[in-house]
Amino acid sequence: MSELAPRKVRSVFVSDLHLGYKGADIAALNGFLRAHDFERLYLVGDILDGWKLEKRWYWNRDYSEFLDSLLALRRRSRITLITGNHDERLRDMLAILFRPVLLRKYGIRVEERIVHRARDGRQFLVMHGDQFDGALTRGSSKLADRAWSFLVERALVRPRPSEPPTGPQDGRRWSLGKEIAKNALNLANRFHQRALRRVAEDGLDGIVCGHSHLPVLREQRGLLLANCGSWTGAKAPGEMHTALVETLEGQLEMIEWPAARPVPGHPRLRSLPPRQPGTRHPDAARLVRMIHALWSPPHVAEPAAGTPALTAPDPAPVTGDRVLRQTTA
């Protein structure tokens, strides 16, 4: 498919890439992006898996190629990164203050949510969806939940889905995707119903989200519900990842893309050090070092006797400009 001329579309939406997780199939994602020519790219949350990166560094060649492709795209495409719960440190105050630099130097806009106007005039809320976890786990009132969502979307607080409906789990973070994977489809339905209720309250035409890892594209009560799916689930040949595209006419389509995960032990899966990430573009290498600084594993091995100690790089702030409410055609 990638050998054919790229398909022209207006917008591309992908979510839950989980860079840093060894099961992420970024080779397939790179092929998907090469096969499409688009004006707008939305990275709809959990692009980085900080929960993994903060425990141990993992970065492979496919990840570096993905960053190189983003920097090549910035000249002709609008790139928006929506923060998620796995890359929640992008919501920290220091990261927010650095967002204008990311936009000016790297061409990547970082937001908690944004409203996308389709070619046909419809307006879609684009957000990761972890903001709805509070309604699933705390049983909060409508007013309290609206207040919580308001604070989360403006990065004034972080979502804290650490307590599942049945109580705490020894301090471990609660994951909606993992709960749904345990056949809790009723939880997925509650998540999507909460998303639709939010869209109706905001007077919009639909929502594009991620978070649950379950691809969905359907209309309900006159509102469009679109979930991008993920790039971690398809493992065997013949299995598919999913993404959403907006056609040139303004219609949303669900695209299935075949898994392209290298076999275990393949050289492409070898972890690369942050100082030598194998990127082609110098700016991509700088982004890798910023990511490493933001999620540096807490424990560093002691240097061998006679070896000068290495100092960790200063945390390179990663951060923000004002929240946009709407993109225009």
Side-chain angles (χ1 to χ4, degrees), residues 17-21 24 26 46-50 53 58-59 63 66:
L17 313 186
H18 289 273
L19 302 183
Y21 168 52
I26 306 307
D46 283 359
I47 304 310
L48 297 159
D49 197 326
L53 291 171
Y58 178 74
W59 193 270
Y63 297 5
F66 170 67

Side-chain angles (χ1 to χ4, degrees), residues 4-5 11 26 44 59 70 72 114 119 159 195-196 204 207 211 216 226 234 290 313 316:
L4 302 176
S11 307
I26 306 307
V44 192
W59 193 270
L70 288 188
I114 200 166
R119 175 61 55 83
L196 286 173
L204 300 173
I207 184 169
H211 191 43
V216 174
M290 288 181 190

Side-chain angles (χ1 to χ4, degrees), residues 59-70:
W59 193 270
N60 68 37
R61 189 168 299 280
D62 292 325
Y63 297 5
S64 292
E65 288 187 2
F66 170 67
L67 287 188
D68 280 328
S69 69
L70 288 188

Side-chain angles (χ1 to χ4, degrees), residues 54 83-85 87-99 110 112 152 154-159 173 293-295 315-321:
E54 68 188 9
T83 61
N85 53 313
D87 46 25
E88 61 190 354
R89 289 191 186 177
L90 295 177
R91 294 168 174 166
D92 285 347
M93 187 57 66
L94 185 61
I96 291 172
L97 295 174
F98 195 66
R99 286 183 187 178
V110 180
E112 275 62 57
V152 166
R154 286 152 183 81
L156 300 177
V157 296
R158 288 185 190 173
R173 291 182 172 105
L294 198 58
W295 279 286
V318 180
T319 43
D321 62 354

Side-chain angles (χ1 to χ4, degrees), residues 171-182:
R172 291 176 292 170
R173 291 182 172 105
W174 182 73
S175 168
L176 177 66
K178 288 183 178 179
E179 291 298 317
I180 291 173
K182 298 175 188 175

Side-chain angles (χ1 to χ4, degrees), residues 146-198:
R146 289 281 287 173
W148 178 259
S149 295
F150 177 88
L151 294 173
V152 166
E153 290 164 17
R154 286 152 183 81
L156 300 177
V157 296
R158 288 185 190 173
R160 293 175 296 173
S162 57
E163 295 187 4
T166 54
Q169 290 184 330
D170 303 323
R172 291 176 292 170
R173 291 182 172 105
W174 182 73
S175 168
L176 177 66
K178 288 183 178 179
E179 291 298 317
I180 291 173
K182 298 175 188 175
N183 296 319
L185 293 180
N186 62 323
L187 192 61
N189 185 58
R190 287 170 56 198
F191 168 74
H192 289 141
Q193 292 306 312
R194 179 64 188 89
L196 286 173
R197 191 178 80 184
R198 174 57 188 274

